[in-house]
Amino acid sequence: MIRPTIIAGNWKHNPKRSAGESLWRGVIGGVEDRRNHSDVDRQQLEVLIFPPLPWLGWIAGCAEEAAAVGWGAQCVSECTTGAFTGEVGAELVRDFGAQWCLVGHSERRTLFGVDDNSVARRVRQALDHELKPVLCIGETLEQRESGETRQIVSEQLEKGLSLCEEGEFPVVAYEPVWAIGTGVTATVEQVAEVHGFLRNRLCELQGEGAQATPILYGGSVKAENAADLLGLDDVDGALVGGASLEAESFLGIVDAGFACRSGRKPETF
Ligand code: PEP
């Protein structure tokens, strides 16, 4: 089963206007350039950008450029459109041209109280409005140290998918909380172990169709470690925070994705 490779940049609550425009143009130019020099197509390798909401409207206005990558929201509301001041939901985001959204990022869970039931409802909202959700899950350091990693990610996965219907397969991102924004990357052994476990759990929960679901790794991915991580069997891409804020470092990770898809061994990259 060949799954697409996805390299996704999560800009979090960055960048400001002038830096963002040049970041966007640098990324788009770099991705187009690489596509022109490669026979790896978008079915095989997709690049996604998740900027903060004001940027979504701006990107929607760059129609031609925006077609070079997929893009979407870092979070969508549980609410439908209506009298919900301050909320931004899947329907609106989709209406402005976004195709994707993150759901359940650990910063939303730990800093803004989004729990598993809310995650499930947001996944449902995304699917109902033709946005492709990336369901983010991952254990804290304390949970890992007390041997609870499998139990935690399994629960988050099961609850996050609980409102999906047959044939609906959100992309999954495994992001150990202790590796996000810390500069500490999980080892390839740790990543391989959890991704293998998640692949099996997905198939138990959703049937063999889940073999086609990409599982991304996130947590201090950089150009220097991307090839090793993307070289693992059950790692189908990367969700990148800090290193997506500079075009050059993000494109280094995109390069690792292209190298993987074109069959070059990670170490030759
Ligand atoms: C993230 O925000 O999803 C993330 C993985 O951040 P970082 O790459 O900075 O660890």
Side-chain angles (χ1 to χ4, degrees):
M1 170 72 58
I2 310 255
R3 293 177 285 269
T5 299
I6 298 176
I7 308 296
N10 171 16
W11 290 3
K12 308 199 189 203
H13 197 187
N14 305 286
K16 290 202 247 174
R17 184 82 199 236
S18 61
E21 290 195 18
S22 60
L23 172 60
W24 169 261
R25 299 235 142 81
V27 168
I28 295 300
V31 170
E32 280 176 341
D33 194 40
R34 282 155 177 79
R35 290 210 189 281
N36 292 338
H37 292 93
S38 163
D39 45 21
V40 174
D41 63 25
R42 274 183 83 169
Q43 312 300 324
Q44 297 168 290
L45 183 132
E46 179 63 296
V47 177
L48 307 180
I49 303 293
F50 293 97
L53 288 175
W55 284 105
L56 289 185
W58 182 84
I59 288 173
C62 307
E64 245 178 69
E65 286 180 5
V69 296
W71 47 280
Q74 295 168 12
C75 177
V76 288
S77 171
E78 290 185 35
C79 308
T80 51
T81 46
F84 301 106
T85 303
E87 291 297 283
V88 179
E91 187 176 10
L92 212 52
V93 167
R94 180 74 190 115
D95 201 33
F96 274 81
Q99 314 90 47
W100 291 83
C101 63
L102 301 179
V103 184
H105 188 282
S106 69
E107 286 153 17
R108 300 304 309 170
R109 292 177 189 261
T110 55
L111 302 174
F112 301 100
V114 173
D115 64 15
D116 283 324
N117 295 327
S118 173
V119 168
R121 290 192 287 270
R122 290 165 201 258
V123 167
R124 188 65 259 153
Q125 279 291 319
L127 293 167
D128 282 346
H129 296 101
E130 292 170 12
L131 270 189
K132 290 177 251 186
V134 178
L135 169 62
C136 304
I137 59 176
E139 80 289 0
T140 63
L141 186 58
E142 205 182 11
Q143 289 163 338
R144 171 162 285 271
E145 286 176 349
S146 50
E148 293 175 285
T149 298
R150 286 184 175 216
Q151 183 201 324
I152 296 293
V153 295
S154 178
E155 264 174 34
Q156 290 175 340
L157 188 68
E158 188 169 350
K159 289 187 183 157
L161 297 175
S162 61
L163 300 180
C164 291
E165 287 166 13
E166 208 180 321
E168 292 177 331
F169 300 105
V171 169
V172 172
Y174 168 57
E175 299 203 297
V177 179
W178 47 273
I180 296 183
T182 57
V184 180
T185 316
T187 64
V188 284
E189 290 78 16
Q190 288 170 324
V191 175
E193 196 261 320
V194 178
H195 278 238
F197 172 73
L198 289 173
R199 172 71 53 213
N200 291 336
R201 278 302 285 141
L202 270 176
C203 291
E204 281 165 13
L205 292 167
Q206 295 191 304
E208 277 304 295
Q211 290 287 3
T213 298
I215 305 179
L216 318 185
Y217 168 76
S220 300
V221 177
K222 317 179 223 353
E224 297 74 32
N225 58 24
D228 286 344
L229 292 161
L230 295 174
L232 296 171
D233 278 350
D234 277 305
V235 175
D236 307 305
L239 179 53
V240 185
S244 71
L245 292 174
E246 281 186 14
E248 200 186 331
S249 54
F250 186 61
L251 290 169
I253 300 168
V254 171
D255 279 337
F258 271 101
C260 256
R261 290 318 298 234
S262 59
R264 278 191 281 150
K265 283 203 163 104
E267 57 269 26
T268 64
F269 173 72

